[in-house]
Amino acid sequence: MRDWVFKVENLTKIYGPGCPNCLESETNRCLSCNSTIAVRSISFTLYKGEILGIVGESGSGKTTLIRSLYFDVSPTLGQAYLSGDSRNLFELSSQEKRKLRNFMMGMVHQNAVLDLNFEITGGGNVAEKLLMAGWRRFSDIRKRVMELFEEVELPLNRVDVLPSTLSGGMQRRVQIAKALANNPDILFLDEPTAGLDLSVQARVLDLIKRIQREFRISMVLVSHDLEVIRLLAERILVMKEGRIIEQGLTDQILEDPQHPYTQLLVNSVL
């Protein structure tokens, strides 16, 4: 049996007042209180060294789900657990959540503005993550930043330039370097190739595959692009209106989708 690293149970996020009828609604809009059920009763297990893909159209709840897992968004209901820890992560204090984000988790947002401070250098952004984790010696921090830039194949002469002077692909690599700074066990990726040219997308995908292969980091990958999911993910969850409507091995789902919505998604890229 494979070792698991992260487990989520009944994760739900409701925007609005909420009421007892919200989870009975057939759509993601509650007719009783007009709340939006962005994520509804999501459960899954992430295994060691696995890339788990989450796919669905815009508004399906993918980004709300992944941001909830990284504590950017507070869920309405649900539990999340790390292997060997019986505490519900959503009930931890703000300080304990920050510690998890600094030491055990990394995140690459779709929008670089959510990850990077554009008023300091790319290297400074990575150093910031190290400082939050307790690094103090300038020489050690500088050495680690250089190592990370090499790891994500960024030219070392770009360490001391502002992110605004970098291309979209280079900004994404700085984001990945920052996310990897403290050797996290889990990496969350929200549309990591969105807005990039095809050739740049390919290089970013190769980078993600290499990182996963070399470091055996468990990853949760959100994408609307089935080809990205096909290339990277071992298993996938298909989301629609905040729900998981189908899940399984990637090849199985993409070759023989069972749910009409998944069939529509797959056929739309053929």
Side-chain angles (χ1 to χ4, degrees), residues 2 6 8 20 29 33 41 65 93 96 105 122 131 153 161-163 177 184 194 225 241 255 257 267:
R2 297 179 65 179
F6 191 55
V8 177
R29 177 73 66 176
C33 68
S41 303
L65 170 60
S93 68
E96 289 172 315
M105 297 177 174
L131 287 166
E153 300 171 358
V161 303
L162 295 174
D225 189 331
E241 295 187 330
E255 296 298 330
N267 290 334

Side-chain angles (χ1 to χ4, degrees), residues 3 28 38 46 57-58 97 103 119 140-141 148 157-158 161 165 172 196 222-223 228 247 266:
D3 294 331
N28 62 352
L46 178 68
E57 63 191 358
S58 296
K97 288 176 181 176
F103 288 97
E119 296 182 357
D140 292 340
I141 292 172
L148 288 159
N157 61 6
R158 310 314 293 266
V161 303
T165 69
R172 196 61 45 86
L196 303 179
V222 162
S223 181
V228 169
Q247 60 182 301
V266 171

Side-chain angles (χ1 to χ4, degrees), residues 183-231:
N183 298 312
D185 294 320
I186 303 168
L187 184 61
F188 299 111
L189 301 157
D190 187 8
E191 302 280 5
T193 59
L196 303 179
D197 294 337
L198 288 177
S199 61
V200 179
Q201 285 186 28
R203 290 196 293 273
V204 170
L205 291 175
D206 285 342
L207 171 62
I208 293 170
K209 288 169 67 175
R210 180 172 60 77
I211 289 169
Q212 188 270 341
R213 184 172 62 249
E214 291 181 6
F215 299 102
R216 301 298 293 166
I217 298 174
S218 302
M219 302 185 184
V220 179
L221 166 69
V222 162
S223 181
H224 69 279
D225 189 331
L226 289 181
E227 285 307 309
V228 169
I229 294 294
R230 188 191 298 273
L231 283 168

Side-chain angles (χ1 to χ4, degrees), residues 70 101 104-108 129 179-180 184 186-189:
Y70 193 60
R101 283 166 56 122
M104 298 197 67
M105 297 177 174
M107 177 73 163
V108 177
K129 180 91 172 188
L180 294 175
I186 303 168
L187 184 61
F188 299 111
L189 301 157

